[in-house]
Every structure is written in structure tokens, then in C-alpha cells.
Amino acid sequence: MPLEFLRSPPLKKLGFSGLSLFSSQSSFYSTLILVLGSRKEPTLTGLCCLIRSSGELALSQTAWVMSRPLSRWSTGGGRVSGISDRDPFDPDYSKDFAENGFGHEAGACKSRQRTALPFLKLCLALAIVLALVGSLSWTISISTSSQVPIYRGYRRLQQQLVSDLSEIGELSLASAKLRELEFCSSEFEDYVPCYYNVSESFDAGDPDRTIEYERQCVQQSAEDHGCLVLPPRNYRIPLRWPSGRDFIWKENVKITGHEFSSGSLTKRMMVEEEQISFRSDSLMVDGVEDYLHQIAEMIGLENESNFNDAGIRTVLDIGCGFGSFGAHIFSRQLLTMCIANYERSGSQVQITLERGLPAMIGSFASKQLPYPYLSFDIVHCAGCDIDWEKKDGIYLTEVDRLLRPGGYFVWTSHMNTQRSLHDKDNQKKWSLIRDYAEKVCWDMLSQQDETIVWKKTTKKKCYRSRKSGPAVCDRTIDLESPYYQPLNPCIAGTRSQRWIPIEHQRPWPSRAMLNSTELDIYGLQSEEFAGDALNWKSVVHDYWSLLSPLIFSDHPKRPGDEEPSPPFNMLRNVLDMNARFGGFNAALLDAGKAAWVMNVVPTNGPNYLPLIFDRGFIGVQHDWCEAFPTYPRTYDMVHAEGLLTLETYQRHRCSMLDIFLEIDHILRPEGWVIIRDKDPLIEAARSVIAQLRWDARMMELDNDSNKKLLVCQKPFFKKQHK
């Protein structure tokens, strides 16, 4: 047992001189400390002899805490070798020694007792004196320091010590099991947990067959099933923003020959030798510009530059193609969330994220989307292949839940043309959709060619005057936390305090700072909100001061690049695992960083996701014991502040390794991870990170002595040619 574990931060913090206060156990601890100090690596046999000779075997009250877990503690995150998993204070321990071929040392113990008895008596006397002196000095120190908590009474001190040692024992046990994870096989390159649950046998059938992948998560321990997903063989680091918006490496995404032959991709892009270009087809670019201008006119605006003045900021794009709509309105201060079904190849979500644009896997098939009530100013569907008339209009009900009052539903479909409406089936479908829109208090503003625009009412009396249509949801239904709940046939109504027409919203970016009236909805004070904003501005400044030299000094030459890209545009896709008020997102924008943030609100914490959307940001609710709804290698940075603390309150749900393995799954090669949390949890995280083979550096935080910062980078592991 190396003496190093006594110098580790958690144990050092406890103050081991206080152990001498246990009057009935002082001799045992004094002997143990004396032995540890006298020999660099005392053997278990030697400890056994000393314990027997001093008659302290009855002290099993705290020995179980000190035995197995602490014997494996290592501040460096490595495994302590040569130490048995058995408790050395177990009465059957010496018996097992003999059975395992160590009987000669057990026999030697008796002879050593006879020869070393005078020496041991002297040692015990010295130990008692040292224990009394240590106890007296420790008592004086805690009485003169107001910063150290004073525990009155023997029982309370004992309980606190046992509790602290038990927690440290659990953490050290995790590091004892340390092993580097193996790399996954090649079929896991684009593996998406929770969606990859349909047989691959359909490849032999009709290639045009549409398959719906239902989200279905089955929790499996990373200890048994964890492996590291390697990038494709010819994977290259994506081009940085804004170049990466218009060009992506062809080998980075899973596209088969079927997508090219069908023409579904070539309508939107031009495939070159190594890249896919989204700007080579000038007709596509001009088409999006004209389309945006058309939508602006249908809403009643002069042009697309007036979207922000009309209170429009957040857009949900259903079946978004490859993000071209969101890419072009981004310059108009609009933020678009792209959602599409899971696809095995040619994925809309994967390609959109590769371009540096917000996207996630989502479907209207049977579940509500994990966004709160009143989240978006526009819901857009252009050729999204949703049968809006089916299931008694329940898909339109979900759109109504997501739209703010005065928000717009923009629907572009071939079914809306005059030629298509000559067909009786299409006429019936169109009539059902039009009638249902009226029943949920939508006004049809305009129709041009294939595009129709509806506006959600801003008049509360409309819901009371309806004679038919879906009922208004009762108060037992939680409208703000719909984490993959079944689609609801009722409409949300107007009972929320957030039911504010979009034309009354302040334009971006001023709406990012909520006023006192808006904060009252969430039970927050202006001082708390302002303090959070100032704190994050300082933190983001520190992050960038820290990352810039790391990028300059540590960043290797990228495959195919002459020189590494400059550090100012290293990050585009950012995921905040515990976003709270969205302060990290706001600070990034305030610092002028060309990044967008997926603000994630854990399902087991306070739900501030409605506040995040009210600020003009985007985000999602998520349970971090499940896979995040995205493809591998889709984020440049993952940030987590306080997430580990939050998860410790939910014991036995999933391990720290499960969470970090999911981070590794969604992080791009050479991507960054920043974790800020309490000391013991950061120490435990270092062991897990060693299993993932990340490069890591731990930093002290001057302004918060109870927390530490862990900055990690995922290496670029190349697939070996076979």
C-alpha cells in the first residue's frame, strides 16, 4: 500500500490527525500510522503481526472503510498493483494466505512477535504519546479557526468520518477497476443508440422503402458493453466556420450510392472529388433566397430582413433536408432547429450538423418532441412527408403546442397545387387539414404556389368561442416537461403566464436579457439572474484564455492540411450538458464567438428550458442516462458545470463511465470537454477519462476552493488498415 494515498486531496482535506480522538481506537491508528511512516511499502503480513500483537483486531468498526477501497486509491488515476482485493482485517485472511501458498509468512508472524516484543512495546508507548499530542494540536486548531466545521460530540464526529471515508472508498474503488476501453468494430461508425433497432435485412428488398425508427432506449452498463467508436477510415477534421457551412468532407458522413442515383442529394449539392459543396449549385442558393422573400411577403413583411422586427427568432424546421433553409436565415438573426427521423444513410441531421448548423433526431411519429410549450416563433415544413390529416389532426395539435401566440406554421407541399387538388383524395386531405386548423384557432394568411402560411391566434377568447375541435388540456398535464411523452390530443390553451404574442416580444438580441416581470414567472430575482450573467462572462473569458495556448502548443497537424487552422474558429457546435439559465450560451455570444449552443436541461434537475427559449436560445430536455438524439462525431465542445453533482443525487441510475462514454460518442476527434465540479467528483472523473484515452489537465479555481476544472481533448484515433 503506497503512502501516496494519504496525500491525495480528499484525504488531506479530512485531516487525519483527528483520528486520535477516537479514544478506544487511538492505539490502532497510531500503530498503523507509525508502520506506514516507518516503511515505504509495508507488507500486509507486517500489518497483520502488529495488529495481532497490540490486540486491536476488535476494531472492525472503521477498519472496513480503510481496507479495500483506500488500498486502491491513486491520485494519478492508475491502478495500484500487487494489492489483494480481500480485507486484510478479516479474521479469515490469514487462513486464506495459507490456502493460496503464503503459509510461510503466516507462520513467521508468531516468531516475529517473540523477537520484536520489546521493540513493539516501545513503539506503542511512543505512538500513544504522539496520538495525544496530535489530538491536542488538532483540537486547538479547530477551536481557533472559524472556517473549519466543528462537530460536537464523539458520535457525530465518528459518523462524519465514516461517511467521508465511505464516499472516498467508492471513488477509489472505481479507479481500482481502471482499464482502457477497447475500440468498437467498424459497424459502429455511425451507430446511434435508442434508434438502431430495426433489422438490416430490408436492404435486399425495395431500396425506396421508408422505415420508421422508433426511439427505444435499453440501458446497458458501459462496464459490460462500452467501447470507443472510431471515425471512418478516411475521416478528416471538418472545415471550420464559415467555410464548413458550404463544404463538407464526403467521407465524414454516411452516404451510399443510392442517394446519388435517386437524385435526392444532387438537387441540393454538387459532389466533387473529396467534398460535397452546398454552394456550387447557384439555382439552389437563389431558390432559398426567393423562398425566404416569399414567406416574408406572405406574413406581411417587406422582405426577409424584417423577420426580427416582427418578433421572430426561433424556428423549428421539420424534415429539414440538409439545413439549407436554416443556413440562409441564420444571417437574418434567426436560429433554426432542424429535426428529422433517424436515417441509416444520407442523414439530414448528420449532414446538417457536419455543416455547423443546429440539428437533432426527432419525429412526430408517436411522441411529443422534448421541447416545452410555446417554444418556437415559426414551425416550417417543406416536403417533410408528414400526413397532417391523419390521427384526427394530432400532428397539428403538436405544432400548436410548440408555437407561440402569433407564431406561424409554414407548409410547402406538392399537394397544395391546383393540379394536385384535382385528385379527390388530395381534396379530402386538404379539407381535413383546413378545417382542423380553424378548430385550433389558426388563421390562414396566404397561399402562393405550393406554400401556405397559418398564424396562431393571439386572442384568448377564440378558444372559449369554439363549438367543436380538440378539448383544452386540463391542469394535470405538464405542458413544460414533455420528455418523449405520447402525443396529446388536447390543445394547450392559454393558461400559461408565458402566453405572450410574438409581436410583443422584444427583438433579438435585447430579449436575451429578461426583465423582472419575465423572471417572476420562474421565481427568479433580477439580482440572481444578473449575477449569473456576470459570472459566465468571466468564466468564458477564462476558458478562452486557457484554450488558446493549448490549441497553439498541443494541436497537431491535421490530415490533409498544410497547417493547423487558427484557434479563433476551432469551435462551432457546442453542447452544454447542464445549461440552467443558458448563461454559458449568452456569454459565448456576448464574447463574439461564432458558435451556437445546444442547451440541455437534465430531466432530473430544475426545468429552466422554457426560460432558455424565452431568451431566444434553443435547447432540449434530456436524461443523461440515455443516448443523446444525435449521430457520432457531431459536436466540437461539450461543457458540463455541476452535472456530476446533479447525477450523484440519483444513485444506481447509471455510472459516471456511462455518461462520459456518451460524451465520447458525440464528440468530434480533437474536440474539447470542459467539466467544472466538486473536488471528489473531478478526481473520480480523471479515472474514467483515462479509460477513454482522452488527454486531460486539471486546474484549481482560485475563486472557488471546493471546485476544480478539468479540460480534456479527445485524440484523433485513426482506423488501422487491415
Side-chain angles (χ1 to χ4, degrees), residues 373-593:
Y373 174 48
L374 310 176
S375 294
F376 295 97
D377 304 315
I378 291 180
V379 174
H380 175 257
C381 163
C384 59
D385 296 327
I386 294 178
D387 297 323
W388 297 106
E389 77 284 354
K390 288 189 175 180
K391 294 189 177 182
D392 297 324
I394 198 169
Y395 300 142
L396 292 173
T397 303
E398 175 68 356
V399 173
D400 182 80
R401 183 184 73 84
L402 297 172
L403 274 178
R404 296 180 185 274
Y408 304 95
F409 176 49
V410 180
W411 180 35
T412 299
S413 171
H414 294 299
M415 196 184 80
N416 298 335
T417 62
Q418 292 296 325
R419 178 181 297 180
S420 177
L421 291 177
H422 290 314
D423 182 82
K424 291 184 178 180
D425 289 337
N426 286 340
Q427 286 181 10
K428 183 179 180 180
K429 292 178 182 179
W430 163 243
S431 297
L432 290 172
I433 295 171
R434 181 191 57 198
D435 294 344
Y436 193 88
E438 292 178 358
K439 292 175 182 178
V440 294
C441 294
W442 291 1
D443 298 320
M444 194 174 85
L445 295 184
S446 178
Q447 178 175 3
Q448 292 185 18
D449 302 324
E450 299 178 350
T451 303
I452 302 175
V453 176
W454 279 279
K455 182 176 182 178
K456 181 176 177 177
T457 187
T458 58
K459 301 175 182 177
K460 295 185 177 182
K461 64 180 182 180
C462 176
Y463 294 95
R464 296 191 297 268
S465 62
R466 293 179 309 133
K467 297 181 180 179
S468 62
V472 177
C473 301
D474 59 44
R475 295 186 178 275
T476 62
I477 296 176
D478 186 0
L479 302 175
E480 308 289 15
S481 303
Y483 185 68
Y484 295 106
Q485 296 295 316
L487 288 169
N488 207 316
C490 62
I491 57 176
T494 63
R495 72 171 187 257
S496 173
Q497 292 180 278
R498 298 176 54 239
W499 207 87
I500 302 172
I502 63 171
E503 51 262 34
H504 296 164
Q505 300 270 5
R506 284 171 295 160
W508 176 263
S510 59
R511 72 188 275 186
M513 291 301 296
L514 303 180
N515 57 40
S516 58
T517 304
E518 294 166 327
L519 292 173
D520 285 342
I521 298 175
Y522 306 99
L524 297 175
Q525 300 295 323
S526 299
E527 295 78 10
E528 179 183 4
F529 187 73
D532 181 78
L534 288 174
N535 174 66
W536 279 112
K537 285 183 180 180
S538 174
V539 168
V540 166
H541 178 270
D542 292 342
Y543 284 171
W544 248 253
S545 298
L546 179 66
L547 285 177
S548 293
L550 292 179
I551 293 171
F552 274 123
S553 62
D554 296 349
H555 196 282
K557 180 180 177 181
R558 295 193 181 96
D561 285 357
E562 293 297 328
E563 295 294 338
S565 299
F568 61 85
N569 61 354
M570 287 292 296
L571 305 175
R572 173 61 182 170
N573 299 354
V574 178
L575 187 145
D576 192 358
M577 299 179 72
N578 186 24
R580 295 192 76 238
F581 308 151
F584 180 56
N585 189 163
L588 285 176
L589 296 180
D590 186 69
K593 307 304 179 186

Side-chain angles (χ1 to χ4, degrees), residues 23-93:
S23 57
S24 62
Q25 303 171 7
S26 60
S27 179
F28 164 71
Y29 282 114
S30 301
T31 306
L32 176 62
I33 294 172
L34 183 64
V35 173
L36 290 175
S38 62
R39 297 184 60 176
K40 187 174 182 180
E41 291 197 8
T43 63
L44 292 174
T45 305
L47 288 175
C48 180
C49 295
L50 287 175
I51 292 168
R52 289 188 176 207
S53 65
S54 59
E56 296 293 334
L57 273 174
L59 298 177
S60 60
Q61 183 175 0
T62 58
W64 66 274
V65 179
M66 294 290 294
S67 61
R68 180 182 175 187
L70 289 183
S71 67
R72 289 175 174 263
W73 181 263
S74 172
T75 57
R79 181 185 179 97
V80 180
S81 59
I83 300 177
S84 171
D85 286 340
R86 293 296 308 275
D87 189 344
F89 304 113
D90 191 331
D92 296 330
Y93 192 70

Side-chain angles (χ1 to χ4, degrees), residues 137-148 150:
S137 63
W138 181 80
T139 304
I140 294 173
S141 66
I142 65 172
S143 64
T144 58
S145 176
S146 61
Q147 296 180 353
V148 180
I150 301 175

Side-chain angles (χ1 to χ4, degrees), residues 191 218-226 625 654 658:
Y191 174 72
V218 178
Q219 187 169 335
Q220 295 178 325
S221 173
E223 292 286 348
D224 302 322
H225 304 280
C625 286
C654 59
D658 291 317

Side-chain angles (χ1 to χ4, degrees), residues 324-391:
S324 295
F325 179 77
H328 283 80
I329 64 175
F330 182 81
S331 60
R332 308 308 196 267
Q333 301 292 324
L334 271 64
L335 189 59
T336 301
M337 172 75 83
C338 158
I339 64 167
N341 293 330
Y342 168 75
E343 299 164 284
R344 292 179 59 253
S345 64
S347 165
Q348 302 170 70
V349 170
Q350 186 185 38
I351 293 177
T352 300
L353 284 164
E354 189 72 14
R355 298 180 64 186
L357 301 166
M360 61 173 283
I361 301 172
S363 172
F364 275 81
S366 61
K367 305 287 185 181
Q368 291 183 336
L369 294 174
Y371 312 122
Y373 174 48
L374 310 176
S375 294
F376 295 97
D377 304 315
I378 291 180
V379 174
H380 175 257
C381 163
C384 59
D385 296 327
I386 294 178
D387 297 323
W388 297 106
E389 77 284 354
K390 288 189 175 180
K391 294 189 177 182

Side-chain angles (χ1 to χ4, degrees), residues 272-330:
E272 299 175 354
E273 201 169 302
E274 294 181 326
Q275 294 179 334
I276 300 174
S277 171
F278 294 87
R279 60 184 300 179
S280 298
D281 187 352
S282 60
L283 294 177
M284 183 273 293
V285 176
D286 294 340
V288 173
E289 295 290 345
D290 292 342
Y291 182 58
L292 288 173
H293 188 77
Q294 176 186 347
I295 292 173
E297 286 184 342
M298 295 173 72
I299 288 174
L301 306 175
E302 291 185 6
N303 55 57
E304 60 273 20
S305 300
N306 299 115
F307 281 126
N308 191 28
D309 296 334
I312 299 172
R313 164 64 178 170
T314 53
V315 179
L316 180 67
D317 194 5
I318 305 169
C320 55
F322 302 105
S324 295
F325 179 77
H328 283 80
I329 64 175
F330 182 81

